[in-house]
Amino acid sequence: DVKVTQSSRYLVKRTGEKVFLECVQDMDHENMFWYRQDPGLGLRLIYFSYDVKMKEKGDIPEGYSVSREKKERFSLILESASTNQTSMYLCASRRGQGNGYTFGSGTRLTVV
Amino acid sequence: AQSVTQLDSHVSVSEGTPVLLRCNYSSSYSPSLFWYVQHPNKGLQLLLKYTSAATLVKGINGFEAEFKKSETSFHLTKPSAHMSDAAEYFCVVSPPGSARQLTFGSGTQLTVLP
């Protein structure tokens, strides 16, 4: 089975801190995605990457950046955390077009 | 452009009774459609997907969904609810032939009463 692993299950950070959320997949998938999940809003795409060093903005990229230096790892960076970035963050990967997505278990980030 | 609307934010059923979770979509092309389930403190799990083959799609745990193009709907059903079905369910649309993202509905919380 494909595994998508998010390094932290829960994180508490202070306003203004730089935050790194890490995601690793073990099946050589080309595409990787970062979503945030908020009640009543479903999942919204922050950024995605279709190859190493490639990235594209999703629907809500403001306040975030990403890094994909290796195929298996896709990092989400909050340059200066704010309280409105308190959310559940989900990473996903898939092999390519037409294939299913595999999601990680999520990181619940609280910014105080 | 594409969008998806889950018509109920909460659904309650009694154990052993049928489940119906409603989803309507809007798309300017023939989309792929998915249902995902998320149990408390767990990641999203794919229940089933429609990708322009059979219109009635069977998924895991006894769930199925029917793609109705004329109604732009993709409702999720199960004949008999089980306590373990209590979770949040997301209807998802994706453009075909694209590496781009999924568009998620806002979710339906399913409660199963004993």
Side-chain angles (χ1 to χ4, degrees):
Chain A
D1 276 355
V2 177
K3 259 189 126 174
V4 177
T5 303
Q6 293 182 232
S7 54
S8 303
R9 194 60 200 268
Y10 298 95
L11 274 179
V12 180
K13 297 291 182 179
R14 294 194 181 278
T15 300
E17 274 193 78
K18 190 168 185 175
V19 181
F20 292 86
L21 302 184
E22 304 289 347
C23 175
V24 177
Q25 49 94 3
D26 64 359
M27 282 297 289
D28 202 37
H29 283 179
E30 291 87 359
N31 305 155
M32 296 188 75
F33 307 80
W34 274 107
Y35 291 86
R36 64 176 283 177
Q37 182 180 14
D38 300 290
L41 296 177
L43 278 75
R44 293 176 292 167
L45 181 68
I46 305 171
Y47 267 97
F48 70 104
S49 167
Y50 50 87
D51 205 346
V52 177
K53 296 192 186 295
M54 308 298 283
K55 60 184 179 184
E56 282 202 30
K57 293 180 180 179
D59 299 319
I60 51 164
E62 296 79 18
Y64 303 94
S65 62
V66 290
S67 172
R68 188 139 181 231
E69 296 298 316
K70 294 184 178 181
K71 194 172 187 180
E72 67 270 19
R73 185 181 297 271
F74 192 36
S75 304
L76 180 69
I77 305 156
L78 286 66
E79 297 290 343
S80 177
S82 63
T83 54
N84 63 13
Q85 292 178 310
T86 291
S87 186
M88 170 72 88
Y89 289 88
L90 286 160
C91 177
S93 76
R94 72 168 182 173
R95 183 168 298 284
Q97 297 177 21
N99 292 293
Y101 293 71
T102 301
F103 283 84
S105 297
T107 297
R108 185 166 292 282
L109 173 67
T110 302
V111 182
V112 298
Chain B
Q2 59 186 18
S3 65
V4 58
T5 302
Q6 291 183 243
L7 298 163
D8 307 292
S9 58
H10 291 86
V11 170
S12 271
V13 300
S14 296
E15 192 175 19
T17 65
V19 176
L20 170 63
L21 305 183
R22 298 182 296 165
C23 172
N24 287 107
Y25 70 92
S26 171
S27 178
S28 53
Y29 36 70
S30 293
S32 296
L33 293 158
F34 308 79
W35 276 98
Y36 280 83
V37 60
Q38 187 176 29
H39 287 91
N41 300 313
K42 301 272 187 180
L44 286 156
Q45 181 184 18
L46 180 65
L47 269 181
L48 51 80
K49 65 178 180 180
Y50 165 78
T51 54
S52 77
T55 56
L56 182 62
V57 182
K58 293 189 184 299
I60 61 172
N61 301 333
F63 284 94
E64 60 183 39
E66 186 171 8
F67 173 70
K68 291 188 176 179
K69 188 174 181 179
S70 60
E71 298 176 11
T72 60
S73 69
F74 190 57
H75 301 333
L76 182 70
T77 60
K78 183 173 180 178
S80 176
H82 191 272
M83 296 297 288
S84 62
D85 295 328
E88 190 163 21
Y89 292 78
F90 292 94
C91 182
V92 183
V93 63
S94 172
S98 168
R100 199 164 163 79
Q101 73 279 14
L102 308 171
T103 298
F104 282 75
S106 55
T108 299
Q109 185 68 48
L110 176 65
T111 300
V112 182
L113 305 171

